[in-house]
Amino acid sequence: MNDHQARPLRKVSLSIWDLPASLLTQPHNFRRRMPKRGRERSHQMAILAFIYRNRFVTASQVRRRFTEILKSDRTTRRHLAEMQESLKYLDLVPTPSPLWPKVYSVSSRGMRKLTQAFRKKRSSWQPPAGERGRTGFSIHHVYHELACTEFLLDVCEAAKMTGAEVLELQRRSLVKNDAFRLTSTSGTRLVPDGMLLLRTSQGMICTFVEVDTGSMSMNSIADKLQRYSDWSASDHGQTYVSDLYRKHGANNPQSRFRIAIVCSNSHHTTNGQRRLQAILGLADSLPPSIRRNVWLTTAALVRDAGNILACAIWCRAKGGNAGQPFLHRLPGSN
């Protein structure tokens, strides 16, 4: 093929789970261009609420969440560019590599717009979590939030394929929830990375999500698992879970829940088998009442699974079998 006929190389798009491989490169700033002229659109508040709830998102994640509104990747990028460049509702987060997609967060102007919209429906509404000053973010923290968002989106898509129903999703609203206060020596609060409530023909199951990117010490992970153990044995912990089931129609709600942990070894790789085995050892030392609730998998298995609820990618602590689908032996609450 002649030089003038050669096609230009296209930028390779990485999976969210592959992004840690480029964490050691220098921060990348996208080239500046003329801002797109934006206009107010009816679905912008829903997009702002989604981005705020997850803190950091990519365009592909926004499109997966709003497939009925955003019909193509190009449309999604255009709408987000309008919200960021012209309307100033979004900020662009610096990323470490040109291979990374653009990462968006809600700006202070977008937060004011979102607060006004929520207060029209509920005058006493206050943001469940505050924003720190926009002086920069740890890229490890940015990746952690992106990975949490990616996992929850994977669950929603898998639920549609399996006929399950996602009744509730929570992220930042858990930070200030009084139900997660602790009175034991393990700390003052339990702060899960996320929570989801699934319903299938077998029943409902509340799942708390933890994404381990490899940057947290094993002592810190052991401490968090101990907090889960203390919380599950407390009255307010059991009340929170049973009330959640009752809210969605359970006649005889139980305080059963699962802890889903997605493991990575470090920022160098997404193959988290060694990390999984290490956390599995910590979980094995927990009391039986909480130990059986811990389900683990790796970022690589989540990335490659066609359906993370139905594929046998999950293993359990002592007393549980390896290679189970997440919907296997669903505890439920009727």
Side-chain angles (χ1 to χ4, degrees), residues 26 79 87 96 108 134-135 153 186 202 207 251 282 306 320 322-323:
Q26 293 297 314
H79 285 207
L87 299 173
S108 56
R134 299 288 178 174
T135 57
L153 285 171
S186 62
Q202 303 174 56
T207 300
N251 296 321
L282 295 177

Side-chain angles (χ1 to χ4, degrees), residues 41-201:
R41 301 176 188 272
S42 60
H43 56 263
Q44 286 172 347
M45 289 303 100
I47 293 176
L48 277 177
F50 172 73
I51 297 175
Y52 172 75
R53 184 178 70 186
N54 294 285
R55 193 162 195 183
F56 306 110
V57 301
T58 64
S60 65
Q61 291 176 332
V62 173
R63 194 200 168 199
R64 288 168 63 191
R65 172 60 181 82
F66 298 99
T67 53
E68 295 182 359
I69 299 172
L70 305 171
K71 301 298 185 181
S72 69
D73 293 337
R74 182 178 179 181
T75 298
T76 304
R77 291 193 298 269
R78 177 167 56 83
H79 285 207
L80 291 176
E82 290 177 356
M83 294 174 69
Q84 183 249 324
E85 298 171 354
S86 179
L87 299 173
K88 307 297 184 182
Y89 292 156
L90 301 177
D91 283 333
L92 200 60
V93 180
T95 54
S97 168
L99 294 178
W100 275 49
K102 288 184 177 181
V103 177
Y104 297 92
S105 64
V106 177
S107 68
S108 56
R109 183 174 180 178
M111 192 65 237
R112 290 193 296 271
K113 184 76 172 178
L114 192 60
T115 301
Q116 292 171 3
F118 275 111
R119 283 179 178 168
K120 288 181 180 179
K121 298 181 179 179
R122 192 173 64 185
S123 58
S124 61
W125 186 84
Q126 293 292 334
E131 292 289 359
R132 70 178 191 177
R134 299 288 178 174
T135 57
F137 300 99
S138 161
I139 201 62
H140 296 281
H141 175 59
V142 173
Y143 170 68
H144 176 267
E145 297 298 296
L146 290 177
C148 291
T149 304
E150 189 75 5
F151 179 80
L152 292 175
L153 285 171
D154 286 343
V155 169
C156 291
E157 292 172 348
K160 290 180 181 179
M161 289 188 283
T162 56
E165 183 181 3
V166 179
L167 299 175
E168 196 164 322
L169 284 175
Q170 298 290 343
R171 283 285 299 277
R172 302 180 71 186
S173 60
L174 302 177
V175 174
K176 292 185 178 180
N177 194 315
D178 289 338
F180 292 89
R181 291 188 179 276
L182 297 173
T183 57
S184 68
T185 57
S186 62
T188 58
R189 291 192 67 86
L190 169 67
V191 184
D193 289 342
M195 186 278 291
L196 61 96
L197 181 65
L198 278 175
R199 175 160 57 195
T200 72
S201 58

Side-chain angles (χ1 to χ4, degrees), residues 230-258:
D230 294 342
W231 183 78
S232 68
S234 68
D235 290 339
H236 51 272
Q238 294 177 8
T239 300
Y240 174 86
V241 178
S242 58
D243 284 352
L244 186 64
Y245 291 135
R246 186 178 292 109
K247 171 185 173 182
H248 291 279
N251 296 321
N252 183 29
Q254 307 296 315
S255 58
R256 297 173 179 173
F257 64 88
R258 286 179 179 173

